[in-house]
Amino acid sequence: QRLDGGLMPENEEEWLEVHPGKDYAKERDLLLPGYKAEWAASRGGVGEVVGVTGDGTNDGPALKAADVGIAMGLSGTDVAKKASDVIIMDDKFSSIVKAVLWGRSVFDNIRKFLQFQLTVNVVALTITFLSAVAGYKPPLNAVMMLWVNLIMDTMGALALATEPPADEILSRRPYKRDASLISRPMWRNILVQATYQLGLLVFLLNRGPSMFGCEDGSTHHFTIVFNAFVFCQVFNEFNAREIGDIFYPFGNIGKSPMFVFVIFSTVVAQWFIVAYGGDYTQTYPLTINEWKTTCLLGALSIPFGYVMRQIPIDEDPESFAGIGELLKPKKESMLLSTFVILLVPVLAGLCFELVIEGEEFYEHAE
């Protein structure tokens, strides 16, 4: 009762039922389990998450009062099973560890999906708003937005929510019941990726016609913007596989067949929409060089995924329950870090060279 406050007496009448014949005014602070107002004041209104295991009839009240009641499937009584939330079918305590592992994995996967989804939302809504304020035609039409929403909601959820659990998450202290679903490192990742993608889209809206030799505001122009935006989401989906400071976008990719399938399906569907959408999707078939350039610009989300994780932002220590030191995540290897650091200026130089060549080509064509 003192741990989670589930059965604490909330008023004088309930307190007297627990302590018949006692004086509520004089003895309420002297007798356990106390009362709800006193308990809430001592814990900030939030108690601990309590799990109870049991197999006997006498364990029924405790199983029912706990946040998570766990009963034994083989040796447990019917009363204990009905009062519990989880039944261990093989009566092995190791199965409880596995249940905790998968429970934490589900929580982390929801966070991964939110990190990915909020990035797409921020970019799509902001670029549409800025275009409307500036008096331009929105670069993403209704069909394009529907496709982006499909990538973000259905396919993104399939890819990130089916990630298998890692044993390391068992070493992490549990979160409090009122801990924020979006952590500080997640906000950092969302804002950095959204800033890069918005900057890229604004650049393509302004310099895209001269870079690719297309008419400003034409279907060809907006298709280039749309393709770059979608590939930003494709590569940022790899970044979203980690919500902390670890940079490991392609780690254990073979253990996530659904993730690989979703990425492959997204790329194939994007090619089909751009190449054959025509008037229905208001897209224009792109050349091989335009595909390469937009794909490369989207791939820059991966190096930015490394850079943003070098910004020192830790999770709020108050969001964790239990006792003990907070476990610091292991950093990636020096070889990978060096490779990514060297990759950033190389890719930036390539993009700059493409811009210069595109402008020169357009000037000669005129």
Side-chain angles (χ1 to χ4, degrees):
Q1 290 177 323
R2 297 292 299 180
L3 285 173
D4 66 354
L7 298 178
M8 296 291 293
E10 296 189 10
N11 49 48
E12 182 177 355
E13 182 180 346
E14 293 183 2
W15 189 89
L16 290 174
E17 289 180 3
V18 179
H19 306 287
K22 301 295 183 179
D23 189 333
Y24 176 76
K26 295 181 179 180
E27 299 180 282
R28 61 181 178 179
D29 292 322
L30 302 177
L31 299 176
L32 291 175
Y35 54 98
K36 194 62 175 276
E38 169 269 327
W39 175 87
S42 66
R43 285 164 171 76
V46 180
E48 303 292 341
V49 178
V50 180
V52 172
T53 60
D55 56 5
T57 302
N58 60 319
D59 296 323
L63 291 169
K64 195 171 186 63
D67 293 286
V68 182
I70 304 172
M72 299 302 168
L74 297 178
S75 61
T77 63
D78 290 339
V79 173
K81 293 178 184 178
K82 289 180 180 179
S84 64
D85 302 294
V86 179
I87 299 176
I88 304 300
M89 301 304 296
D90 56 4
D91 280 18
K92 295 181 180 178
F93 278 92
S94 59
S95 298
I96 300 177
V97 177
K98 189 155 292 187
V100 172
L101 174 67
W102 277 97
R104 292 191 174 193
S105 177
V106 169
F107 180 77
D108 283 357
N109 287 348
I110 292 173
R111 281 184 148 190
K112 293 174 186 178
F113 171 65
L114 282 176
Q115 178 176 279
F116 173 70
Q117 186 185 46
L118 288 175
T119 303
V120 182
N121 278 334
V122 168
V123 177
L125 292 176
T126 304
I127 197 66
T128 303
F129 174 76
L130 292 177
S131 300
V133 170
Y136 289 107
K137 179 182 176 182
L140 303 176
N141 59 51
V143 178
M144 292 177 180
M145 288 296 287
L146 285 173
W147 170 233
V148 169
N149 281 328
L150 183 62
I151 297 174
M152 176 183 67
D153 293 332
T154 306
M155 303 181 77
L158 279 174
L160 295 171
T162 55
E163 286 274 280
D167 292 336
E168 291 79 14
I169 61 178
L170 287 175
S171 302
R172 185 183 67 202
R173 280 169 55 185
Y175 288 102
K176 292 181 179 178
R177 62 170 74 239
D178 62 339
S180 175
L181 193 57
I182 305 175
S183 63
R184 294 172 182 173
M186 288 173 65
W187 279 120
R188 174 200 62 192
N189 299 344
I190 291 167
L191 293 175
V192 171
Q193 283 292 333
T195 300
Y196 164 68
Q197 293 183 22
L198 278 173
L200 173 63
L201 296 185
V202 170
F203 170 80
L204 290 176
L205 285 172
N206 291 330
R207 305 297 296 274
S210 60
M211 180 179 174
F212 295 97
C214 58
E215 182 182 349
D216 189 10
S218 63
T219 302
H220 186 189
H221 180 201
F222 287 160
T223 302
I224 292 171
V225 175
F226 169 60
N227 207 48
F229 177 57
V230 168
F231 273 103
C232 280
Q233 311 319 318
V234 170
F235 287 102
N236 189 41
E237 211 158 347
F238 288 92
N239 282 324
R241 296 183 69 215
E242 293 289 347
I243 55 179
D245 292 333
I246 298 175
F247 179 73
Y248 203 30
F250 304 105
N252 299 322
I253 196 71
K255 296 181 180 179
S256 303
M258 181 58 71
F259 185 92
V260 176
F261 173 76
V262 167
I263 294 296
F264 176 78
S265 301
T266 302
V267 173
V268 171
Q270 176 67 13
W271 170 80
F272 184 82
I273 289 172
V274 170
Y276 301 104
D279 294 335
Y280 177 71
T281 57
Q282 298 181 31
T283 53
Y284 184 89
L286 302 180
T287 65
I288 295 298
N289 286 333
E290 289 168 342
W291 275 99
K292 289 179 180 179
T293 304
T294 51
C295 184
L296 176 63
L297 293 172
L300 283 173
S301 296
I302 298 292
F304 268 92
Y306 172 81
V307 173
M308 69 187 182
R309 287 178 169 88
Q310 307 312 305
I311 301 174
I313 296 180
D314 297 324
E315 285 205 61
D316 183 6
E318 297 299 322
S319 63
F320 292 95
I323 58 175
E325 296 183 1
L326 292 178
L327 194 67
K328 293 291 184 180
K330 295 180 181 179
K331 293 291 184 179
E332 62 281 346
S333 65
M334 287 299 296
L335 180 62
L336 180 60
S337 303
T338 305
F339 172 74
V340 174
I341 292 173
L342 294 175
L343 187 63
V344 173
V346 171
L347 291 178
L350 287 173
C351 291
F352 180 76
E353 187 67 26
L354 287 171
V355 172
I356 299 299
E357 290 182 1
E359 290 181 348
E360 290 178 353
F361 174 80
Y362 184 65
E363 291 175 357
H364 287 310
E366 288 183 334

